[in-house]
Amino acid sequence: MSLTLRPRLDDHGLGLTGQRARDRLIQRLQAEGIRDPRVLEVMRMVPRHLFVDEAIAGRAYEDNALPIGSGQTISQPYIVAKMTESLIEPGIPARALEIGTGSGYQAAVLAALGIEVFTIERMEPLLRQARRRFRQLGLEGVRSRHDDGRLGWPDASPFPAIMVTAAASRVEPAWLEQLAEGGLMLAPVGEAGGVQRLRRIQRVQGEFVDTDLGAVSFVPVLPGIV
Ligand code: SAH
């Protein structure tokens, strides 16, 4: 396996945010059924504590969603692992579109696998912080955009992989259009506050093959930019 992590990615972490806490999280993810060694390895290496406020950094390696400000959350590590595992199951895609940059953690995990990431966030303060983290970790290759992710990223499409990390009330037509032939999209679909279903949509010979991967709970996809 070749990871494209730069040494800087591993230079952080002491005490509660250190390697022991990370190793415990990885054991827990394994116990919960995450099997792909590539996913376990990147999640051990990407410093999740740098993607949350310093005040709660000590909780970064618990398997919980955590607040990241502006009413948004960084997804639970198990969900990040599960979605990443599903996305790379057919092979690691060269490029991926992410809707909902949030803290930037999911984008960093994908980038650390060697994927060229295009990520869209509607809330500027979150995007600014995420960009600072990408720079800090040497992940300058992550491309990000302040925009309404419902429109996708037409000029960089088609994408062999699309990951939506907020709950959509529907699968947006733009995402389907921008999914490459043979490509794979993961999207939580359902009403905010309620339980949503994680859908895996593969484009096979022009058709969309839709599989239900189970119940998830994400903050909603909202319209417009702020
Ligand atoms: N992937 C993130 C989790 C993000 S939470 C992480 O790893 O931290 C969902 C994010 O989606 C929030 O930051 C929210 O602002 C963003 N979002 C919601 N609707 C959006 C839209 N229409 N376009 C882009 N981003 C959106």
Side-chain angles (χ1 to χ4, degrees):
M1 172 180 52
S2 72
L3 294 178
T4 57
L5 290 173
R6 293 212 194 156
R8 264 193 284 168
L9 265 184
D10 233 9
D11 282 347
H12 310 270
L14 292 159
L16 285 172
T17 54
Q19 207 54 56
R20 287 240 300 284
R22 295 192 206 182
D23 289 344
R24 267 202 305 277
L25 173 62
I26 298 315
Q27 282 164 12
R28 176 153 183 184
L29 294 176
Q30 274 179 302
E32 287 171 324
I34 303 300
R35 292 278 172 267
D36 190 323
R38 300 167 298 183
V39 174
L40 295 167
E41 183 61 9
V42 285
M43 295 209 39
R44 200 178 58 77
M45 291 177 83
V46 177
R48 189 169 184 262
H49 66 280
L50 299 184
F51 290 84
V52 298
D53 278 352
E54 247 172 275
I56 53 169
R59 298 177 54 199
Y61 299 99
E62 294 170 12
D63 190 19
N64 291 317
L66 291 171
I68 54 172
S70 308
Q72 306 304 312
T73 53
I74 180 173
S75 307
Q76 180 193 357
Y78 172 73
I79 291 297
V80 172
K82 187 76 206 153
M83 287 178 76
T84 304
E85 187 174 66
S86 303
L87 198 74
I88 68 171
E89 187 263 324
I92 294 184
R95 307 151 76 237
L97 172 66
E98 181 195 28
I99 311 299
T101 314
S103 68
Y105 178 69
Q106 174 72 72
V109 166
L110 295 176
L113 284 162
I115 301 170
E116 186 184 0
V117 181
F118 295 74
T119 183
I120 309 176
E121 173 56 55
R122 65 182 287 276
M123 302 185 91
E124 207 188 2
L126 290 180
L127 187 58
R128 228 181 297 123
Q129 270 186 311
R131 282 176 173 156
R132 205 169 324 132
R133 291 170 181 138
F134 299 148
R135 271 198 304 277
Q136 184 186 5
L137 296 175
L139 297 170
E140 286 96 346
V142 176
R143 300 182 52 189
S144 60
R145 179 160 169 168
H146 181 219
D147 204 353
D148 184 342
R150 292 178 306 166
L151 308 171
W153 195 318
D155 9 325
S157 74
F159 295 95
I162 298 179
M163 191 188 279
V164 183
T165 64
S169 53
R170 61 166 191 174
V171 175
E172 292 295 329
W175 302 338
L176 294 172
E177 275 161 31
Q178 293 172 30
L179 188 63
E181 177 54 39
L184 189 59
M185 165 160 52
L186 294 174
V189 180
E191 294 316 314
V195 172
Q196 308 120 21
R197 308 299 301 186
L198 180 60
R199 284 163 63 180
R200 174 192 192 274
I201 299 172
Q202 192 162 28
R203 186 171 199 155
V204 185
Q205 291 167 356
E207 308 264 299
F208 295 102
V209 181
D210 201 326
T211 319
D212 185 333
L213 297 184
V216 285
S217 177
F218 279 84
V219 297
V221 167
L222 296 173
I225 60 172
V226 288

mmCIF file of all heavy atoms in Angstrom, residues 51 68 70 72-75 80 98-107 120-123 126 147-150 165-167 218-225, ligand 1:
data_model
loop_
_atom_site.group_PDB
_atom_site.id
_atom_site.type_symbol
_atom_site.label_atom_id
_atom_site.label_comp_id
_atom_site.label_asym_id
_atom_site.label_seq_id
_atom_site.Cartn_x
_atom_site.Cartn_y
_atom_site.Cartn_z
ATOM 1 N N PHE A 51 -8.865 18.733 13.665
ATOM 2 C CA PHE A 51 -10.057 19.115 12.901
ATOM 3 C C PHE A 51 -11.209 19.539 13.812
ATOM 4 O O PHE A 51 -12.309 19.796 13.339
ATOM 5 C CB PHE A 51 -10.479 17.963 11.976
ATOM 6 C CG PHE A 51 -9.498 17.764 10.842
ATOM 7 C CD1 PHE A 51 -8.348 17.013 11.020
ATOM 8 C CD2 PHE A 51 -9.707 18.362 9.603
ATOM 9 C CE1 PHE A 51 -7.429 16.853 9.980
ATOM 10 C CE2 PHE A 51 -8.800 18.216 8.572
ATOM 11 C CZ PHE A 51 -7.658 17.450 8.761
ATOM 12 N N ILE A 68 -18.330 21.369 15.312
ATOM 13 C CA ILE A 68 -17.217 22.097 14.677
ATOM 14 C C ILE A 68 -17.561 23.573 14.507
ATOM 15 O O ILE A 68 -16.919 24.284 13.728
ATOM 16 C CB ILE A 68 -16.826 21.480 13.307
ATOM 17 C CG1 ILE A 68 -18.041 21.365 12.367
ATOM 18 C CG2 ILE A 68 -16.169 20.121 13.513
ATOM 19 C CD1 ILE A 68 -17.680 20.951 10.938
ATOM 20 N N SER A 70 -20.737 26.768 14.012
ATOM 21 C CA SER A 70 -21.791 27.096 13.034
ATOM 22 C C SER A 70 -22.895 26.041 13.001
ATOM 23 O O SER A 70 -23.548 25.861 11.977
ATOM 24 C CB SER A 70 -21.201 27.274 11.626
ATOM 25 O OG SER A 70 -20.135 28.180 11.630
ATOM 26 N N GLN A 72 -22.622 22.868 12.954
ATOM 27 C CA GLN A 72 -22.281 21.703 12.131
ATOM 28 C C GLN A 72 -21.463 20.698 12.944
ATOM 29 O O GLN A 72 -20.999 21.010 14.041
ATOM 30 C CB GLN A 72 -21.516 22.138 10.877
ATOM 31 C CG GLN A 72 -22.235 23.208 10.072
ATOM 32 C CD GLN A 72 -23.634 22.791 9.672
ATOM 33 O OE1 GLN A 72 -23.854 21.693 9.167
ATOM 34 N NE2 GLN A 72 -24.601 23.668 9.904
ATOM 35 N N THR A 73 -21.291 19.516 12.406
ATOM 36 C CA THR A 73 -20.542 18.481 13.127
ATOM 37 C C THR A 73 -19.525 17.796 12.220
ATOM 38 O O THR A 73 -19.721 17.712 11.009
ATOM 39 C CB THR A 73 -21.493 17.375 13.672
ATOM 40 O OG1 THR A 73 -22.295 16.884 12.591
ATOM 41 C CG2 THR A 73 -22.393 17.905 14.765
ATOM 42 N N ILE A 74 -18.455 17.319 12.849
ATOM 43 C CA ILE A 74 -17.527 16.419 12.165
ATOM 44 C C ILE A 74 -18.136 15.031 12.353
ATOM 45 O O ILE A 74 -18.575 14.678 13.449
ATOM 46 C CB ILE A 74 -16.100 16.523 12.758
ATOM 47 C CG1 ILE A 74 -15.110 15.586 12.056
ATOM 48 C CG2 ILE A 74 -16.076 16.269 14.254
ATOM 49 C CD1 ILE A 74 -13.641 15.803 12.509
ATOM 50 N N SER A 75 -18.218 14.246 11.283
ATOM 51 C CA SER A 75 -18.893 12.953 11.366
ATOM 52 C C SER A 75 -18.168 12.015 12.322
ATOM 53 O O SER A 75 -16.966 12.138 12.566
ATOM 54 C CB SER A 75 -18.952 12.300 9.983
ATOM 55 O OG SER A 75 -19.505 13.182 9.040
ATOM 56 N N VAL A 80 -17.172 7.824 8.860
ATOM 57 C CA VAL A 80 -16.123 8.209 7.905
ATOM 58 C C VAL A 80 -15.444 6.951 7.361
ATOM 59 O O VAL A 80 -15.236 6.793 6.153
ATOM 60 C CB VAL A 80 -15.084 9.142 8.580
ATOM 61 C CG1 VAL A 80 -13.890 9.394 7.664
ATOM 62 C CG2 VAL A 80 -15.745 10.465 8.970
ATOM 63 N N GLU A 98 -16.481 15.892 -2.995
ATOM 64 C CA GLU A 98 -17.155 15.811 -1.697
ATOM 65 C C GLU A 98 -18.097 17.002 -1.552
ATOM 66 O O GLU A 98 -17.705 18.143 -1.818
ATOM 67 C CB GLU A 98 -16.141 15.843 -0.541
ATOM 68 C CG GLU A 98 -16.834 15.728 0.817
ATOM 69 C CD GLU A 98 -15.977 16.095 2.023
ATOM 70 O OE1 GLU A 98 -15.042 16.919 1.885
ATOM 71 O OE2 GLU A 98 -16.235 15.569 3.111
ATOM 72 N N ILE A 99 -19.322 16.739 -1.115
ATOM 73 C CA ILE A 99 -20.272 17.818 -0.820
ATOM 74 C C ILE A 99 -20.313 17.975 0.698
ATOM 75 O O ILE A 99 -20.666 17.025 1.406
ATOM 76 C CB ILE A 99 -21.690 17.479 -1.352
ATOM 77 C CG1 ILE A 99 -21.665 17.016 -2.817
ATOM 78 C CG2 ILE A 99 -22.629 18.674 -1.145
ATOM 79 C CD1 ILE A 99 -21.130 17.999 -3.811
ATOM 80 N N GLY A 100 -19.921 19.157 1.214
ATOM 81 C CA GLY A 100 -19.936 19.406 2.652
ATOM 82 C C GLY A 100 -18.555 19.219 3.261
ATOM 83 O O GLY A 100 -18.290 18.236 3.949
ATOM 84 N N THR A 101 -17.663 20.185 3.034
ATOM 85 C CA THR A 101 -16.282 20.099 3.552
ATOM 86 C C THR A 101 -16.264 20.034 5.070
ATOM 87 O O THR A 101 -15.475 19.288 5.655
ATOM 88 C CB THR A 101 -15.467 21.346 3.118
ATOM 89 O OG1 THR A 101 -15.698 21.600 1.739
ATOM 90 C CG2 THR A 101 -13.994 21.171 3.393
ATOM 91 N N GLY A 102 -17.122 20.828 5.717
ATOM 92 C CA GLY A 102 -17.169 20.872 7.184
ATOM 93 C C GLY A 102 -15.801 21.168 7.764
ATOM 94 O O GLY A 102 -15.167 22.160 7.420
ATOM 95 N N SER A 103 -15.324 20.293 8.628
ATOM 96 C CA SER A 103 -14.004 20.466 9.246
ATOM 97 C C SER A 103 -12.867 20.185 8.264
ATOM 98 O O SER A 103 -11.733 20.577 8.498
ATOM 99 C CB SER A 103 -13.865 19.491 10.416
ATOM 100 O OG SER A 103 -13.816 18.156 9.929
ATOM 101 N N GLY A 104 -13.166 19.439 7.213
ATOM 102 C CA GLY A 104 -12.123 19.036 6.270
ATOM 103 C C GLY A 104 -11.576 17.638 6.542
ATOM 104 O O GLY A 104 -10.735 17.130 5.789
ATOM 105 N N TYR A 105 -12.072 16.994 7.608
ATOM 106 C CA TYR A 105 -11.498 15.704 8.005
ATOM 107 C C TYR A 105 -11.714 14.608 6.946
ATOM 108 O O TYR A 105 -10.770 13.907 6.565
ATOM 109 C CB TYR A 105 -12.084 15.264 9.349
ATOM 110 C CG TYR A 105 -11.581 13.909 9.813
ATOM 111 C CD1 TYR A 105 -10.255 13.747 10.204
ATOM 112 C CD2 TYR A 105 -12.427 12.807 9.845
ATOM 113 C CE1 TYR A 105 -9.791 12.509 10.624
ATOM 114 C CE2 TYR A 105 -11.963 11.567 10.267
ATOM 115 C CZ TYR A 105 -10.653 11.422 10.654
ATOM 116 O OH TYR A 105 -10.179 10.197 11.056
ATOM 117 N N GLN A 106 -12.946 14.474 6.476
ATOM 118 C CA GLN A 106 -13.217 13.441 5.462
ATOM 119 C C GLN A 106 -12.373 13.697 4.207
ATOM 120 O O GLN A 106 -11.817 12.758 3.620
ATOM 121 C CB GLN A 106 -14.712 13.420 5.114
ATOM 122 C CG GLN A 106 -15.086 12.485 3.973
ATOM 123 C CD GLN A 106 -15.019 11.014 4.343
ATOM 124 O OE1 GLN A 106 -15.853 10.505 5.086
ATOM 125 N NE2 GLN A 106 -14.019 10.308 3.822
ATOM 126 N N ALA A 107 -12.258 14.951 3.815
ATOM 127 C CA ALA A 107 -11.450 15.292 2.632
ATOM 128 C C ALA A 107 -9.994 14.899 2.863
ATOM 129 O O ALA A 107 -9.325 14.365 1.966
ATOM 130 C CB ALA A 107 -11.555 16.786 2.331
ATOM 131 N N ILE A 120 -16.694 20.924 -1.627
ATOM 132 C CA ILE A 120 -17.522 22.139 -1.662
ATOM 133 C C ILE A 120 -18.175 22.364 -0.294
ATOM 134 O O ILE A 120 -18.729 21.436 0.293
ATOM 135 C CB ILE A 120 -18.641 22.027 -2.728
ATOM 136 C CG1 ILE A 120 -18.074 21.606 -4.076
ATOM 137 C CG2 ILE A 120 -19.408 23.347 -2.849
ATOM 138 C CD1 ILE A 120 -19.127 21.378 -5.161
ATOM 139 N N GLU A 121 -18.118 23.602 0.190
ATOM 140 C CA GLU A 121 -18.744 23.965 1.475
ATOM 141 C C GLU A 121 -19.515 25.270 1.286
ATOM 142 O O GLU A 121 -19.023 26.207 0.669
ATOM 143 C CB GLU A 121 -17.660 24.112 2.550
ATOM 144 C CG GLU A 121 -18.129 24.641 3.890
ATOM 145 C CD GLU A 121 -19.262 23.822 4.519
ATOM 146 O OE1 GLU A 121 -19.112 22.599 4.683
ATOM 147 O OE2 GLU A 121 -20.317 24.430 4.835
ATOM 148 N N ARG A 122 -20.713 25.337 1.893
ATOM 149 C CA ARG A 122 -21.531 26.542 1.752
ATOM 150 C C ARG A 122 -21.249 27.589 2.830
ATOM 151 O O ARG A 122 -21.640 28.741 2.699
ATOM 152 C CB ARG A 122 -23.027 26.195 1.745
ATOM 153 C CG ARG A 122 -23.528 25.620 3.054
ATOM 154 C CD ARG A 122 -25.001 25.251 2.965
ATOM 155 N NE ARG A 122 -25.874 26.409 2.956
ATOM 156 C CZ ARG A 122 -26.298 27.043 4.062
ATOM 157 N NH1 ARG A 122 -25.931 26.637 5.263
ATOM 158 N NH2 ARG A 122 -27.100 28.080 3.960
ATOM 159 N N MET A 123 -20.590 27.194 3.940
ATOM 160 C CA MET A 123 -20.336 28.131 5.040
ATOM 161 C C MET A 123 -18.879 28.574 5.027
ATOM 162 O O MET A 123 -17.971 27.790 5.310
ATOM 163 C CB MET A 123 -20.682 27.471 6.385
ATOM 164 C CG MET A 123 -22.124 27.003 6.451
ATOM 165 S SD MET A 123 -22.577 26.349 8.083
ATOM 166 C CE MET A 123 -23.183 27.846 8.826
ATOM 167 N N LEU A 126 -16.278 27.924 8.003
ATOM 168 C CA LEU A 126 -15.826 26.534 8.091
ATOM 169 C C LEU A 126 -14.808 26.238 7.005
ATOM 170 O O LEU A 126 -13.783 25.588 7.238
ATOM 171 C CB LEU A 126 -17.017 25.570 7.955
ATOM 172 C CG LEU A 126 -18.010 25.539 9.121
ATOM 173 C CD1 LEU A 126 -19.128 24.540 8.838
ATOM 174 C CD2 LEU A 126 -17.296 25.168 10.423
ATOM 175 N N ASP A 147 -19.401 27.276 -2.285
ATOM 176 C CA ASP A 147 -20.509 27.246 -3.243
ATOM 177 C C ASP A 147 -21.639 26.375 -2.689
ATOM 178 O O ASP A 147 -21.485 25.707 -1.665
ATOM 179 C CB ASP A 147 -19.999 26.654 -4.572
ATOM 180 C CG ASP A 147 -20.842 27.105 -5.773
ATOM 181 O OD1 ASP A 147 -21.888 27.752 -5.579
ATOM 182 O OD2 ASP A 147 -20.445 26.778 -6.903
ATOM 183 N N ASP A 148 -22.766 26.395 -3.379
ATOM 184 C CA ASP A 148 -23.875 25.502 -3.042
ATOM 185 C C ASP A 148 -23.590 24.151 -3.702
ATOM 186 O O ASP A 148 -23.652 24.014 -4.921
ATOM 187 C CB ASP A 148 -25.190 26.092 -3.550
ATOM 188 C CG ASP A 148 -26.393 25.245 -3.147
ATOM 189 O OD1 ASP A 148 -26.213 24.061 -2.787
ATOM 190 O OD2 ASP A 148 -27.515 25.776 -3.192
ATOM 191 N N GLY A 149 -23.271 23.181 -2.854
ATOM 192 C CA GLY A 149 -22.857 21.870 -3.350
ATOM 193 C C GLY A 149 -23.942 21.117 -4.107
ATOM 194 O O GLY A 149 -23.650 20.115 -4.764
ATOM 195 N N ARG A 150 -25.185 21.593 -4.024
ATOM 196 C CA ARG A 150 -26.250 20.905 -4.775
ATOM 197 C C ARG A 150 -25.998 20.977 -6.274
ATOM 198 O O ARG A 150 -26.540 20.186 -7.031
ATOM 199 C CB ARG A 150 -27.616 21.525 -4.436
ATOM 200 C CG ARG A 150 -28.046 21.251 -2.991
ATOM 201 C CD ARG A 150 -29.359 21.916 -2.681
ATOM 202 N NE ARG A 150 -29.300 23.342 -3.000
ATOM 203 C CZ ARG A 150 -30.355 24.142 -3.086
ATOM 204 N NH1 ARG A 150 -31.553 23.668 -2.867
ATOM 205 N NH2 ARG A 150 -30.200 25.416 -3.365
ATOM 206 N N THR A 165 -21.683 14.447 2.299
ATOM 207 C CA THR A 165 -21.551 14.264 3.752
ATOM 208 C C THR A 165 -22.539 15.123 4.527
ATOM 209 O O THR A 165 -22.288 15.512 5.668
ATOM 210 C CB THR A 165 -20.099 14.499 4.229
ATOM 211 O OG1 THR A 165 -19.743 15.866 3.998
ATOM 212 C CG2 THR A 165 -19.115 13.597 3.518
ATOM 213 N N ALA A 166 -23.673 15.443 3.907
ATOM 214 C CA ALA A 166 -24.800 16.066 4.598
ATOM 215 C C ALA A 166 -26.045 15.375 4.049
ATOM 216 O O ALA A 166 -26.016 14.817 2.948
ATOM 217 C CB ALA A 166 -24.832 17.568 4.327
ATOM 218 N N ALA A 167 -27.129 15.414 4.845
ATOM 219 C CA ALA A 167 -28.331 14.678 4.441
ATOM 220 C C ALA A 167 -29.117 15.463 3.393
ATOM 221 O O ALA A 167 -29.534 16.593 3.633
ATOM 222 C CB ALA A 167 -29.203 14.407 5.653
ATOM 223 N N PHE A 218 -27.094 12.610 9.556
ATOM 224 C CA PHE A 218 -26.237 13.732 9.169
ATOM 225 C C PHE A 218 -26.978 15.052 9.339
ATOM 226 O O PHE A 218 -28.215 15.078 9.338
ATOM 227 C CB PHE A 218 -25.838 13.604 7.689
ATOM 228 C CG PHE A 218 -24.703 12.651 7.426
ATOM 229 C CD1 PHE A 218 -24.938 11.290 7.291
ATOM 230 C CD2 PHE A 218 -23.400 13.103 7.306
ATOM 231 C CE1 PHE A 218 -23.893 10.402 7.051
ATOM 232 C CE2 PHE A 218 -22.347 12.223 7.062
ATOM 233 C CZ PHE A 218 -22.592 10.878 6.929
ATOM 234 N N VAL A 219 -26.241 16.145 9.445
ATOM 235 C CA VAL A 219 -26.864 17.471 9.375
ATOM 236 C C VAL A 219 -27.341 17.670 7.928
ATOM 237 O O VAL A 219 -26.832 17.043 7.011
ATOM 238 C CB VAL A 219 -25.894 18.604 9.805
ATOM 239 C CG1 VAL A 219 -25.477 18.437 11.258
ATOM 240 C CG2 VAL A 219 -24.659 18.661 8.906
ATOM 241 N N PRO A 220 -28.336 18.555 7.737
ATOM 242 C CA PRO A 220 -28.947 18.649 6.404
ATOM 243 C C PRO A 220 -28.126 19.408 5.354
ATOM 244 O O PRO A 220 -27.346 20.297 5.693
ATOM 245 C CB PRO A 220 -30.252 19.412 6.673
ATOM 246 C CG PRO A 220 -29.976 20.214 7.897
ATOM 247 C CD PRO A 220 -29.036 19.397 8.727
ATOM 248 N N VAL A 221 -28.346 19.047 4.103
ATOM 249 C CA VAL A 221 -27.925 19.883 2.970
ATOM 250 C C VAL A 221 -28.855 21.087 2.976
ATOM 251 O O VAL A 221 -30.077 20.938 3.031
ATOM 252 C CB VAL A 221 -28.087 19.117 1.630
ATOM 253 C CG1 VAL A 221 -27.959 20.076 0.453
ATOM 254 C CG2 VAL A 221 -27.061 17.994 1.511
ATOM 255 N N LEU A 222 -28.282 22.296 2.996
ATOM 256 C CA LEU A 222 -29.090 23.519 2.993
ATOM 257 C C LEU A 222 -28.811 24.302 1.715
ATOM 258 O O LEU A 222 -27.726 24.182 1.138
ATOM 259 C CB LEU A 222 -28.748 24.381 4.229
ATOM 260 C CG LEU A 222 -29.081 23.738 5.589
ATOM 261 C CD1 LEU A 222 -28.535 24.602 6.733
ATOM 262 C CD2 LEU A 222 -30.595 23.532 5.733
ATOM 263 N N PRO A 223 -29.787 25.112 1.295
ATOM 264 C CA PRO A 223 -29.607 25.857 0.057
ATOM 265 C C PRO A 223 -28.732 27.106 0.227
ATOM 266 O O PRO A 223 -28.673 27.664 1.321
ATOM 267 C CB PRO A 223 -31.042 26.260 -0.314
ATOM 268 C CG PRO A 223 -31.770 26.311 0.996
ATOM 269 C CD PRO A 223 -31.121 25.279 1.876
ATOM 270 N N GLY A 224 -28.105 27.528 -0.838
ATOM 271 C CA GLY A 224 -27.392 28.804 -0.858
ATOM 272 C C GLY A 224 -26.094 28.778 -0.084
ATOM 273 O O GLY A 224 -25.709 27.759 0.481
ATOM 274 N N ILE A 225 -25.416 29.943 -0.080
ATOM 275 C CA ILE A 225 -24.130 30.024 0.629
ATOM 276 C C ILE A 225 -24.193 31.080 1.716
ATOM 277 O O ILE A 225 -24.974 32.028 1.621
ATOM 278 C CB ILE A 225 -22.947 30.299 -0.324
ATOM 279 C CG1 ILE A 225 -23.131 31.626 -1.068
ATOM 280 C CG2 ILE A 225 -22.758 29.161 -1.306
ATOM 281 C CD1 ILE A 225 -21.916 32.033 -1.873
HETATM 282 N N1 SAH B 1 -17.351 16.066 5.761
HETATM 283 C C1 SAH B 1 -17.407 16.889 6.967
HETATM 284 C C2 SAH B 1 -18.721 16.718 7.711
HETATM 285 C C3 SAH B 1 -19.531 17.841 7.385
HETATM 286 S S1 SAH B 1 -21.055 18.160 8.174
HETATM 287 C C4 SAH B 1 -16.243 16.629 7.887
HETATM 288 O O1 SAH B 1 -15.469 15.692 7.615
HETATM 289 O O2 SAH B 1 -16.080 17.369 8.858
HETATM 290 C C5 SAH B 1 -21.912 18.692 6.711
HETATM 291 C C6 SAH B 1 -21.392 19.932 6.061
HETATM 292 O O3 SAH B 1 -22.159 20.126 4.863
HETATM 293 C C7 SAH B 1 -21.570 21.209 6.894
HETATM 294 O O4 SAH B 1 -20.347 21.863 7.019
HETATM 295 C C8 SAH B 1 -22.555 22.017 6.063
HETATM 296 O O5 SAH B 1 -22.342 23.419 6.138
HETATM 297 C C9 SAH B 1 -22.309 21.505 4.660
HETATM 298 N N2 SAH B 1 -23.396 21.755 3.713
HETATM 299 C C10 SAH B 1 -24.738 21.698 3.921
HETATM 300 N N3 SAH B 1 -25.408 22.015 2.797
HETATM 301 C C11 SAH B 1 -24.474 22.281 1.844
HETATM 302 C C12 SAH B 1 -24.545 22.684 0.483
HETATM 303 N N4 SAH B 1 -25.703 22.909 -0.142
HETATM 304 N N5 SAH B 1 -23.387 22.861 -0.193
HETATM 305 C C13 SAH B 1 -22.182 22.666 0.430
HETATM 306 N N6 SAH B 1 -22.057 22.296 1.712
HETATM 307 C C14 SAH B 1 -23.188 22.100 2.421
#
